[in-house]
Amino acid sequence: DVKVTQSSRYLVKRTGEKVFLECVQDMDHENMFWYRQDPGLGLRLIYFSYDVKMKEKGDIPEGYSVSREKKERFSLILESASTNQTSMYLCASSGQGAYYGYTFGSGTRLTVV
Amino acid sequence: AQSVSQHNHHVILSEAASLELGCNYSYGGTVNLFWYVQYPGQHLQLLLKYFSGDPLVKGIKGFEAEFIKSKFSFNLRKPSVQWSDTAEYFCAVNGGGNNRKLIWGLGTSLAVNP
C-alpha cells in the first residue's frame, strides 16, 4: 500500500514563526498536493507539484510556499504564521494520469497562537 | 469553472436505513469521478471511483455509486447503513487524460444513530 507520512500530527506555533510541514510518500508518485481542511469549507488546495522542483499554485497559496527537492518529499512552508492559518493540513500523492485517485496522509493539525 | 456540488451537508439516519448522497459536477469533457470517506480522527480514503465502463461502480464496505452522464451526477448509495458508517463523505472529479487535479465538493457529514 502507498503510504503518505506527515511528520507531525499536532503542532503549536507562535504568530510570526516560520513553520515547516513535511510530507513523504513511498511509492514513487509524481504528483503531490497540500490542502487545508476547515469545517464547512471542505478541502482547499494550497499548492501542488507534478515533478521534482516543479510547483503550481492552488486556490489559496497566499502566505504559503512549497519545496520539492526530491521526488518523495513535499514540504509546505508558512513564511510567517498567522492565527488564520490554524487548520488541518493534508498532504496527498497520486500516480501519473487522471485515473489515479489520491492517497492522503493522516494530517497535521496546526494551531497558531 | 469546474465545480462539484454535494447537496446534503448533514445527514442523520438510523441504522438499517438506506443512504443516498447526491453529487453533481460541472465539467464539459471526459471525467473521472471519486468518492472519499473520512472516518472520525482518520485520514481520507478512497471509497470508490469511476473512469469508464459500467456506470454502476461498487466500492468498499457495501457502497456503490452510479454515474449518470446526462445528469452530470455521481450519487453514492448504500442499502443499509451501520453505525460505523458515521463519517464525512467527499465527492471529487477530474478531467480525463493528463488532468491530475481533483475538484472537490464541500463534503457531507453522515451521522448514523444506533
Side-chain angles (χ1 to χ4, degrees):
Chain A
D1 278 353
V2 178
K3 199 177 250 184
V4 177
T5 303
Q6 294 184 231
S7 53
S8 304
R9 189 76 176 96
Y10 298 95
L11 213 51
V12 179
K13 295 292 181 181
R14 296 194 179 277
T15 301
E17 275 193 78
K18 190 168 186 175
V19 181
F20 293 85
L21 303 183
E22 305 288 344
C23 175
V24 177
Q25 51 95 3
D26 66 359
M27 281 299 288
D28 202 35
H29 278 174
E30 289 79 9
N31 310 309
M32 297 188 76
F33 307 83
W34 274 107
Y35 287 90
R36 63 178 283 178
Q37 184 179 18
D38 301 286
L41 297 178
L43 278 71
R44 291 182 292 168
L45 182 63
I46 305 172
Y47 268 96
F48 57 105
S49 169
Y50 290 152
D51 201 351
V52 175
K53 297 191 187 293
M54 302 289 286
K55 60 184 179 184
E56 288 194 33
K57 292 180 180 179
D59 302 316
I60 51 163
E62 296 77 20
Y64 303 94
S65 62
V66 290
S67 171
R68 193 165 181 202
E69 297 295 319
K70 293 185 178 181
K71 192 174 186 179
E72 67 270 18
R73 185 180 297 271
F74 192 36
S75 303
L76 179 69
I77 304 153
L78 285 67
E79 297 291 343
S80 177
S82 64
T83 54
N84 63 14
Q85 292 178 309
T86 291
S87 185
M88 173 68 85
Y89 289 87
L90 303 178
C91 177
S93 73
S94 75
Q96 193 75 299
Y99 165 76
Y100 295 97
Y102 295 178
T103 299
F104 283 87
S106 297
T108 296
R109 182 162 296 282
L110 172 68
T111 302
V112 182
V113 298
Chain B
Q2 302 158 18
S3 66
V4 175
S5 175
Q6 293 182 239
H7 314 296
N8 318 99
H9 298 293
H10 300 282
V11 174
I12 301 174
L13 295 173
S14 298
E15 276 193 319
S18 64
L19 170 72
E20 181 160 2
L21 300 183
C23 173
N24 285 90
Y25 64 92
S26 67
Y27 191 85
T30 305
V31 292
N32 301 299
L33 297 150
F34 305 82
W35 276 98
Y36 281 81
V37 61
Q38 187 175 34
Y39 297 104
Q42 295 189 27
H43 65 278
L44 274 153
Q45 54 186 291
L46 183 66
L47 201 53
L48 48 77
K49 63 183 175 183
Y50 170 83
F51 67 104
S52 69
D54 189 343
L56 184 64
V57 292
K58 296 194 183 296
I60 60 172
K61 305 189 180 187
F63 285 91
E64 64 179 31
E66 185 175 13
F67 170 49
I68 303 179
K69 190 175 180 180
S70 60
K71 294 185 178 180
F72 298 89
S73 71
F74 190 54
N75 292 354
L76 181 70
R77 300 195 292 247
K78 187 171 183 179
S80 175
V81 294
Q82 301 172 314
W83 176 78
S84 58
D85 293 323
T86 294
E88 187 136 20
Y89 293 82
F90 293 90
C91 180
V93 60
N94 66 9
N98 217 23
N99 187 338
R100 292 150 284 197
K101 192 173 131 184
L102 284 176
I103 307 300
W104 295 85
L106 291 182
T108 296
S109 175
L110 171 66
V112 179
N113 296 323

